[in-house]
Amino acid sequence: MVMNKQILLKSRPLGKPTSGNFEIVTTPVVLVKEGELLVHAKYISVDPYMRGRMSDAKSYVPPFEVGKAIEGSVIARVTQSRHQDFKVGDAVLGRLKWQEIQTIDAEKVTKLDNNIAPLSYYLGILGMPGLTAYFGLLDIGKPIAGETVIISGAAGAVGIVVGQIARIKGCRVLGITGSDEKKAYLINKLKFEDGINYKTSDSIEGAIAKACPGGVDIYYDNVGGEISDAVIGHINKGARIVLCGQISLYNDIETPAGPRPQPTLLKKSALMQGFLVNNFASRFPEGTRQLTQWLVEGKLSYEETIIKGFEKLPEAFIGLFEGRNTGKLLVETE
Ligand SMILES: NC(=O)c1ccc[n+]([C@@H]2O[C@H](COP(=O)([O-])OP(=O)(O)OC[C@H]3O[C@@H](n4cnc5c(N)ncnc54)[C@H](OP(=O)(O)O)[C@@H]3O)[C@@H](O)[C@H]2O)c1
């Protein structure tokens, strides 16, 4: 019997997740039936939304069950196929278990073409984070050339794509991030106008005022909390606030009371709109086609932080809350 490793949610995190919330177990591999595939995980994505699934609070996706394998986006290689559309060696993408080897329903995965871009890109710029950047910025932010766009979580998987699309659209782009290295990457590599290191800045408010003397037209919010409070104080009339993520609040046990933004939104006739990338599911082919074209034309550059070793998955996931990544964070199995 073939055995392999699986990672379970051992307990629900209280506050920031720890390695103790996860457990690695050995499980037997189930035989492949008609219509199924045996696949070996190659790249496994860790994403901030998974923190929400680790709690039992009601949300837009059901919680992970304690004692069961965690699941998320995985790119895997087919090693046995009992489905006519797949052959051994094919690369597939699907919502799979955090498991080295698994038997899956072939209808639940998509075949990938690695002639266009490296396979791992389908977990980032050509996958869910890239599409999140694309639709959030273009459909809600509606950038106009010459406008000022500020992005929090700017050096992460979504942020780096938002900033580059905003530049393609002729905007002035500023990024808020958590280290000087990331700030330098945004300015030097991605050609952002400027950046703010929120961890070392004496006053984020003051830094935003200095970086955006003409105010903020679009705020693409990946983090929420005090950073967003500071940005919202600087929005222009008719500003658009794209509520993409609130990672600074995901580990909070109590909901913090913050400044109430409604008077500012009212006075500035501003729009603040939340969204889930899946709202745009019917248009994913459009988004993927455009992102691929920009990538092939060299208009988008891309960055990944790849941690090697299946057993490092919990550590990698926790790393999202420590700013361990520049660009997309993922784990490559060895
Ligand atoms: N609406 C949707 O459908 C959708 C889809 C995908 C993602 N999202 C959201 O978009 C955001 C970005 O996702 P991503 O995949 O691109 O993640 P990511 O930015 O690649 O990784 C998370 C980053 O967040 C920053 N961060 C962590 N804790 C923070 C805190 N307390 N305060 C400020 N920054 C903090 C860290 O960077 P620093 O070093 O800069 O601190 C970290 O590297 C997340 O909030 C996620 O939930 C939403």
Side-chain angles (χ1 to χ4, degrees), residues 132 156-158 177-178 182 198 222 244-245 248 250 275-277 320 323 325:
T132 303
V158 174
T177 188
K182 292 187 191 185
Y198 71 91
N222 285 313
C244 174
S248 76
Y250 292 172
F275 76 104
L276 297 175
V277 64
L320 286 171
N325 55 310

Side-chain angles (χ1 to χ4, degrees), residues 228-300:
S228 295
D229 296 340
V231 178
I232 291 170
H234 292 276
I235 56 170
N236 287 334
K237 185 153 190 280
R240 285 82 71 202
I241 298 166
V242 185
L243 274 189
C244 174
Q246 298 283 289
I247 194 169
S248 76
L249 309 176
Y250 292 172
N251 293 323
D252 282 355
I253 296 167
E254 305 275 322
T255 308
R260 294 183 169 85
Q262 291 88 337
T264 308
L265 299 179
L266 190 153
K267 279 183 262 178
K268 299 289 181 180
S269 304
L271 170 86
M272 179 189 258
Q273 187 179 327
F275 76 104
L276 297 175
V277 64
N278 283 343
N279 299 353
F280 296 95
S282 64
R283 289 173 55 205
F284 282 177
E286 167 206 323
T288 310
R289 210 168 29 245
Q290 180 62 82
L291 290 164
T292 306
Q293 190 186 328
W294 281 331
L295 195 65
V296 170
E297 290 171 354
K299 290 185 178 156
L300 289 179

Side-chain angles (χ1 to χ4, degrees), residues 125 133-134 137-138 143-147 149 151 160-173 190-192 287 290-301:
I125 192 163
Y134 179 87
L137 179 69
L138 296 181
I144 297 169
E147 287 190 323
V149 179
I151 305 158
I160 61 170
V161 185
V162 173
Q164 294 183 86
I165 299 176
R167 286 203 71 249
I168 291 171
K169 296 292 170 189
C171 296
R172 183 173 177 269
V173 181
L190 303 189
K191 309 294 174 206
F192 281 30
Q290 180 62 82
L291 290 164
T292 306
Q293 190 186 328
W294 281 331
L295 195 65
V296 170
E297 290 171 354
K299 290 185 178 156
L300 289 179
S301 95

